[in-house]
């Protein structure tokens, strides 16, 4: 169910699941339909997800081209146990986390993110064609792609750095609340170069041509997360890592609350199974206002004042109980 | 499903861009139904295009004969040169009825992924055209996407040192439209390129 809501809001699986696994075994398509209501505005969202061919999504029976058009009707923030990869995974996870937030906040930055990806693909193709040699015709076109990468890449990195500055106090605050004691979480954005990107690309050029990849740029940067001044990726316990991941999600949720008048729907995918009772209770207490949907395989903390509870066993609904 | 000639007609039509199996079938049955002379007119048109339409030897626009209609028209201003990716872009610029200069068709944009570099585009031919000094301004009219912008940047690097004036078309809002329907990127670009209003 969370998957369905997440898909309607974002146009992709919140777990990164493939198309086949989204569609019931033996069926050729999945149909999703949701009625949403924000203050006094009602919307109808429908989606058809075939195993093959393109998916179709309609908002109030009108087809939409890009999922960003869905934002006024339905926005979600997703929390799941897999989020721990933000802390223990590779740098790409953390860059992806930052870019995801930026894309949500600005159409212009969405274009910048896409531009950087496309320039890197074009540059990689050019480096492959060079066959490891720097001949003049490759050099002149490489100059052009470097200039493009500098323009878009610098804009992206500046936006990431500004975002990190805004996030850091929010993450610390959330973490402290979840952990139950004060702990400083530091976020440090590390560029993979110093000075102007265009100069860095020039000095790395020989190496790039030899290795046929772009070795400096926004795709090589790192967001370092520290817990009490030690790197969280290597030094924090699993419990602490989960807690930091949750704090990262809560921080972006807070940031969204600052921007948008309407809070996004929170989707909590089985987070209590990963947290001890104390942290679970702290999370419930810390949950921002707005609609929350959560799934759990264990008993939720007593503080969860569920409006409605749906019990599922062996793929079928056992019963619906109105909550406290 | 179908036999012989009808089958091959459906197959051939289906190979055309933008035509799927159902459209191919509908067109094939339409052609089967119409008068012979109507169908043969289409055949003649296709044959004529393949036999008579060539590429202009100066600007690489589509042409009938050696030169295209713009290169052979003496009333066109030879000092203004508009560089486009594709002959279809010329049609678009011509619709403005504003441009009285000549054109140069590159045959694409820089795109290493698709194997398009300067050597695959008509860049050398463009430089040759500038050697006699007749052209004083080159308007870079490539598409406003990543590859088009990169191509414009590349050409500017080559052309500016030659002392010719190099300009790039602006990005902005469609005239006669409503601001509320403008996409965010175009509107963003338009804001960037805003101009002082004279009172």
């Amino acid at each position: 169910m969370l998957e369905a809501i997440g898909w309607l809001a974002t146009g992709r699986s919140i777990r990164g699941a493939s198309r086949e696994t989204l569609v019931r075994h033996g069926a050729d398509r999945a149909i999703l339909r949701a009625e949403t209501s924000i203050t006094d505005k009602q919307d109808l969202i429908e989606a058809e997800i075939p195993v093959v061919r393109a998916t179709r999504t309609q908002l109030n029976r009108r087809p939409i081209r890009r999922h960003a058009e869905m934002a006024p009707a339905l926005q979600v923030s997703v929390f799941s146990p897999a989020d721990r990869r933000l802390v223990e995974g590779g740098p790409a996870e953390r860059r992806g986390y930052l870019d995801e937030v930026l894309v949500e906040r600005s159409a212009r930055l969405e274009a910048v993110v896409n531009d950087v990806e496309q320039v890197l693909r074009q540059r990689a193709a050019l480096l492959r064609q060079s066959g490891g040699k720097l001949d003049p015709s490759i050099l002149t076109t490489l100059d052009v792609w470097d200039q493009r990468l500098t323009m878009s890449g610098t804009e992206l990195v500046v936006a990431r750095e500004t975002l990190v500055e805004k996030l850091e106090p929010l993450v610390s605050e959330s973490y402290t609340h979840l952990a139950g004691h004060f702990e400083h979480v530091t976020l440090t954005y590390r560029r993979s170069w110093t000075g102007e990107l265009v100069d860095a690309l020039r000095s790395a050029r020989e190496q790039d041509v030899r290795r046929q990849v772009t070795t400096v740029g926004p795709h090589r940067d790192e967001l370092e997360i520290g817990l009490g001044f030690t790197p969280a990726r290597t030094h924090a316990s699993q419990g602490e890592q989960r807690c930091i991941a949750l704090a990262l999600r809560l921080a972006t949720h807070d940031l969204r609350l600052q921007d948008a008048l309407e809070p996004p729907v929170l989707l909590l995918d089985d987070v209590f199974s990963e947290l001890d009772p104390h942290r679970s209770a702290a999370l419930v207490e810390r949950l921002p206002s707005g609609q929350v949907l959560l799934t759990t395989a264990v008993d939720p903390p007593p503080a969860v004042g569920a409006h409605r509870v749906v019990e599922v066993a062996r793929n079928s609904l056992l019963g619906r109980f109105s909550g406290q | 499903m179908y036999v012989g000639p009808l089958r091959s007609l459906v197959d051939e039509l289906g190979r055309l861009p933008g035509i799927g199996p159902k459209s191919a079938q509908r067109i094939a049955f339409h052609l089967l139904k119409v008068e012979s002379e109507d169908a043969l007119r289409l055949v003649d048109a296709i044959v004529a295009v393949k036999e008579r339409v060539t590429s202009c030897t100066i600007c690489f626009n589509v042409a009938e004969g050696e030169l295209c209609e713009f290169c052979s028209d003496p009333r066109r201003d030879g000092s203004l040169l508009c560089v486009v990716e594709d002959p279809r872009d010329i049609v678009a610029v011509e619709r403005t009825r504003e441009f009285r200069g000549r054109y140069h068709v590159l045959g694409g944009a820089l795109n290493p992924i698709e194997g398009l570099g300067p050597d695959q585009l008509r860049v050398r031919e463009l430089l040759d055209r500038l050697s006699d000094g007749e052209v004083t301004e080159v308007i870079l009219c490539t598409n406003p996407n990543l590859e088009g912008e990169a191509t414009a940047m590349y050409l500017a690097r080559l052309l500016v040192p030659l002392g010719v004036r190099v300009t790039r078309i602006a990005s902005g809002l469609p005239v006669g439209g409503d601001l509320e329907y403008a996409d965010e990127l175009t509107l963003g670009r338009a804001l960037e390129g805003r101009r002082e209003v004279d009172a």
Side-chain angles (χ1 to χ4, degrees):
Chain A
M1 193 159 75
L2 297 190
E3 179 83 283
I5 296 167
W7 204 97
L8 284 173
T10 60
R12 57 196 152 78
S13 162
I14 55 175
R15 294 174 298 139
S18 72
R19 203 81 82 65
E20 294 89 84
T21 58
L22 292 177
V23 176
R24 192 173 57 219
H25 187 69
D28 65 343
R29 71 192 61 197
I31 306 279
L32 302 174
R33 187 171 289 122
E35 286 169 34
T36 64
S37 115
I38 291 173
T39 53
D40 53 354
K41 192 166 80 67
Q42 263 92 34
D43 289 299
L44 173 68
I45 307 173
E46 293 161 298
E48 183 184 343
I49 310 170
V51 177
V52 285
R53 291 208 319 264
T55 59
R56 287 191 304 183
T57 314
Q58 293 188 328
L59 176 58
N60 297 323
R61 308 222 178 263
R62 190 179 54 85
I64 61 163
R65 286 177 299 122
R66 301 186 320 124
H67 245 91
E69 294 173 40
M70 200 61 88
L74 180 61
Q75 286 192 52
V76 294
S77 287
V78 185
F79 295 57
S80 90
D83 286 342
R84 190 156 68 89
R85 67 193 154 73
L86 293 179
V87 184
E88 57 150 23
E93 301 282 359
R94 289 177 288 283
R95 287 193 302 264
Y97 160 76
L98 293 177
D99 290 352
E100 215 171 89
V101 182
L102 292 175
V103 163
E104 266 168 18
R105 294 163 66 85
S106 152
R108 183 190 162 79
L109 287 172
E110 181 175 8
V112 170
V113 169
N114 292 338
D115 251 25
V116 168
E117 277 172 20
Q118 183 67 8
V119 175
L120 286 170
R121 273 201 292 274
Q122 292 286 16
R123 200 173 186 273
L126 190 62
L127 290 171
R128 274 196 302 280
Q129 281 159 26
S130 74
K133 284 187 292 289
L134 277 169
D135 64 66
S137 88
I138 297 280
L139 273 180
T140 41
T141 31
L142 204 52
D143 275 342
V144 171
W145 294 111
D146 286 3
Q147 199 182 335
R148 285 296 311 188
L149 185 56
T150 302
M151 278 165 54
S152 304
T154 308
E155 185 171 354
L156 175 60
V157 167
V158 168
R160 283 180 184 167
E161 286 168 343
T162 317
L163 175 66
V164 167
E165 263 172 49
K166 284 189 197 158
L167 283 174
E168 194 178 29
L170 298 171
V171 175
S172 270
E173 188 194 306
S174 295
Y175 184 87
T176 298
H177 189 96
L178 290 176
H181 58 269
F182 177 76
E183 194 85 68
H184 198 52
V185 181
T186 55
L187 300 183
T188 318
Y189 191 83
R190 290 235 187 278
R191 295 190 184 195
S192 51
W193 73 93
T194 49
E196 293 287 319
L197 180 53
V198 70
D199 299 329
L201 285 166
R202 190 154 300 136
S203 11
R205 188 169 276 179
E206 227 167 280
Q207 193 188 0
D208 285 7
V209 168
R210 201 176 55 241
R211 293 174 51 187
Q212 304 191 4
V213 288
T214 305
T215 52
V216 295
H219 63 301
R220 290 286 177 127
D221 294 356
E222 166 70 299
L223 170 67
E224 285 173 9
I225 303 176
L227 181 64
F229 305 103
T230 56
R233 189 182 174 189
T234 46
H235 287 60
S237 71
Q238 287 206 6
E240 285 168 336
Q241 289 184 345
R242 283 185 197 116
C243 215
I244 294 171
L246 271 175
L248 287 170
R249 291 288 183 212
L250 284 168
T252 53
H253 191 87
D254 289 344
L255 210 56
R256 289 170 71 152
L257 283 181
Q258 286 171 14
D259 290 354
L261 294 172
E262 207 51 46
V265 175
L266 266 184
L267 304 179
L268 270 60
D269 189 5
D270 201 21
V271 284
F272 299 124
S273 62
E274 296 250 336
L275 295 174
D276 60 44
H278 169 74
R279 283 177 177 152
S280 294
L283 172 64
V284 171
E285 203 181 303
R286 175 65 181 71
L287 283 180
S289 60
Q291 194 175 9
V292 179
L293 282 102
L294 60 89
T295 57
T296 177
V298 297
D299 283 332
V304 175
H307 176 67
R308 197 162 177 198
V309 179
V310 180
E311 220 173 296
V312 183
R314 292 205 193 86
N315 292 327
S316 60
L317 296 181
L318 271 190
R320 290 155 187 254
F321 307 101
S322 283
Q324 295 99 318
Chain B
M1 198 165 27
Y2 308 116
V3 281
L6 186 57
R7 167 88 190 246
S8 53
L9 179 58
V10 172
D11 287 349
E12 287 302 326
L13 289 169
R15 270 189 214 128
L16 299 176
I19 295 186
K22 280 191 181 153
S23 300
Q25 186 180 319
R26 196 168 63 232
I27 297 168
F29 273 91
H30 172 77
L31 291 171
L32 198 61
K33 214 166 52 187
V34 297
E35 297 290 328
S36 273
E37 56 187 287
D38 289 334
L40 291 176
R41 235 188 358 257
L42 175 63
V43 173
D44 289 343
I46 295 173
V47 171
V49 159
K50 291 315 287 179
E51 282 178 353
R52 299 221 301 274
V53 176
T54 53
S55 178
C56 174
T57 52
I58 297 178
C59 76
F60 304 97
N61 184 18
V62 287
E64 199 176 343
E66 199 188 335
L67 297 180
C68 75
E69 53 176 315
F70 307 111
C71 289
S72 59
D73 184 346
R75 292 165 303 173
R76 287 271 167 171
D77 183 353
S79 69
L80 264 180
L81 191 62
C82 177
V83 178
V84 296
E85 291 180 19
D86 190 280
R88 283 172 298 178
D89 301 331
I90 293 183
V91 179
V93 176
E94 278 300 303
R95 279 203 302 264
T96 65
R97 299 192 297 268
E98 300 266 343
F99 183 70
R100 302 299 302 160
R102 296 224 162 99
Y103 294 98
H104 187 84
V105 179
L106 290 171
L110 289 182
N111 193 333
I113 292 174
E114 290 180 8
L116 289 177
D119 296 341
Q120 283 72 42
L121 304 178
R122 290 176 190 117
V123 174
R124 196 165 304 122
E125 291 86 344
L126 173 64
L127 295 176
D128 287 347
R129 288 183 74 179
L130 299 179
S131 57
D132 64 1
E134 194 195 351
V135 176
T136 55
E137 178 175 352
V138 176
I139 305 169
L140 300 174
C141 213
T142 50
N143 287 327
N145 55 25
L146 181 69
E147 288 76 17
E149 296 285 1
T151 309
M153 221 181 246
Y154 174 76
L155 291 177
R157 280 166 177 250
L158 291 183
L159 300 180
V160 170
L162 301 179
V164 63
R165 180 170 183 230
V166 181
T167 53
R168 172 88 177 113
I169 48 161
S171 286
L173 295 170
V175 176
D178 285 335
L179 214 53
E180 62 168 322
Y181 294 125
D183 76 281
E184 319 82 73
L185 285 181
T186 309
L187 192 52
R189 285 268 202 107
L191 276 172
E192 248 173 39
R194 65 189 183 275
R195 277 186 302 216
E196 203 86 44
V197 180
D198 293 328

